[in-house]
Amino acid sequence: LLSCRLYCEEAKDPKRRSCQTVLAEALDIIIRSFAPILPHLAEEVFQYIPYKKDSEGVFRTGWINASSAWKKPGIEEAIEGACAMRESFLGSISGKNSLEYEVIIVIEPGLLFELMEALQAEETSSVSQLNEIMMASQTTLLSEFPKEIPSDANIIKGTFLINLEGGDICEQSSYKVIARPIAKAKCPRCRRYTAESSSTPCPRCLQVLAAGKGST
């Protein structure tokens, strides 16, 4: 998830910048957490952070102060649900390269489907947060089982318990994950199977490369 955003997206793309923000926040919390027991190491790491403007040191800039903006209702459950589906998908392909597959997730209309829609607004995507979590080359989110399924597809059934508002909202939802080999070629830049040919970058990478040339 992180490597794709950091190395494949344009330098100023919001997806890449948001990833850097999360890493920076995580590093700050980790440093302050072990500072009381490893003070010299914490101080050295803190002083080498390139984007820090404080020169007073880790012990003079306060304790952990995570912003409440990080706590968004439903996002934790959405990620946990997507991770459960990913485990179903990865377990069905027996250690094979997950990028060689496309995934179809089928969830009946309800709370779980709405949570997954927060991770992927489009029906089919190769660049959504849901697809990044699934570790596939392409993910399709459906509310009905497709009429035609290839004979080489794996169909996995599962359930996920949604627990919101401290237990006030509970819902057991079922899902189906359909995994099938993807028909597209491997992109020479991002290594996902989303290109029309192995010698040509995929549409996302072509757009990033074009934007890079335009800014130089």
Side-chain angles (χ1 to χ4, degrees):
L1 176 58
L2 296 181
S3 62
C4 182
R5 289 191 176 192
L6 289 173
Y7 298 114
C8 297
E9 300 292 353
E10 186 183 356
K12 296 182 179 180
D13 188 281
K15 290 182 180 180
R16 185 175 186 273
R17 295 303 299 259
S18 66
C19 179
Q20 291 175 312
T21 299
V22 170
L23 291 174
E25 184 74 10
L27 178 61
D28 185 82
I29 291 175
I30 290 172
I31 293 172
R32 296 181 192 279
S33 297
F34 68 67
I37 56 176
L38 295 171
H40 298 293
L41 177 60
E43 184 62 35
E44 183 176 4
V45 174
F46 189 83
Q47 293 300 329
Y48 274 94
I49 295 177
Y51 50 83
K52 280 289 183 185
K53 296 182 180 180
D54 298 318
S55 59
E56 296 181 347
V58 66
F59 292 99
R60 294 181 180 273
T61 54
W63 184 235
I64 297 171
N65 186 24
S67 171
S68 59
W70 293 101
K71 185 63 177 178
K72 293 185 178 181
I75 192 64
E76 181 179 352
E77 288 73 18
I79 299 298
E80 289 179 350
C83 288
M85 297 174 197
R86 179 186 64 192
E87 293 305 310
S88 298
F89 161 54
L90 296 178
S92 71
I93 60 176
S94 303
K96 297 178 182 177
N97 184 1
S98 62
L99 292 176
E100 295 180 358
Y101 287 81
E102 63 174 314
V103 171
I104 301 173
I105 299 174
V106 184
I107 309 171
E108 292 184 358
L111 186 54
L112 182 59
F113 186 84
E114 292 175 3
L115 291 175
M116 293 305 106
E117 279 190 315
L119 301 177
Q120 179 169 300
E122 309 88 353
E123 182 177 285
T124 300
S125 177
S126 60
V127 296
S128 68
Q129 295 181 68
L130 180 58
N131 186 67
E132 290 176 345
I133 294 172
M134 295 302 294
M135 299 170 60
S137 279
Q138 180 175 286
T139 296
T140 298
L141 179 62
L142 300 176
S143 59
E144 296 182 352
F145 199 83
K147 295 180 180 180
E148 296 183 2
I149 294 296
S151 58
D152 58 349
N154 296 326
I155 303 175
I156 313 98
K157 297 180 181 179
T159 59
F160 180 74
L161 177 62
I162 301 171
N163 193 331
L164 292 172
E165 305 294 337
D168 292 339
I169 301 176
C170 290
E171 183 176 301
Q172 182 87 12
S173 299
S174 60
Y175 63 83
K176 297 182 181 68
V177 176
I178 304 170
R180 61 184 184 186
I182 195 164
K184 295 185 178 181
K186 185 178 182 180
C187 173
R189 182 175 180 272
C190 69
R191 307 299 181 183
R192 292 189 176 186
Y193 290 77
T194 51
E196 297 302 323
S197 71
S198 58
S199 60
T200 305
C202 66
R204 187 270 299 271
C205 287
L206 286 173
Q207 183 176 357
V208 173
L209 292 170
K213 290 180 180 179
S215 62
T216 56

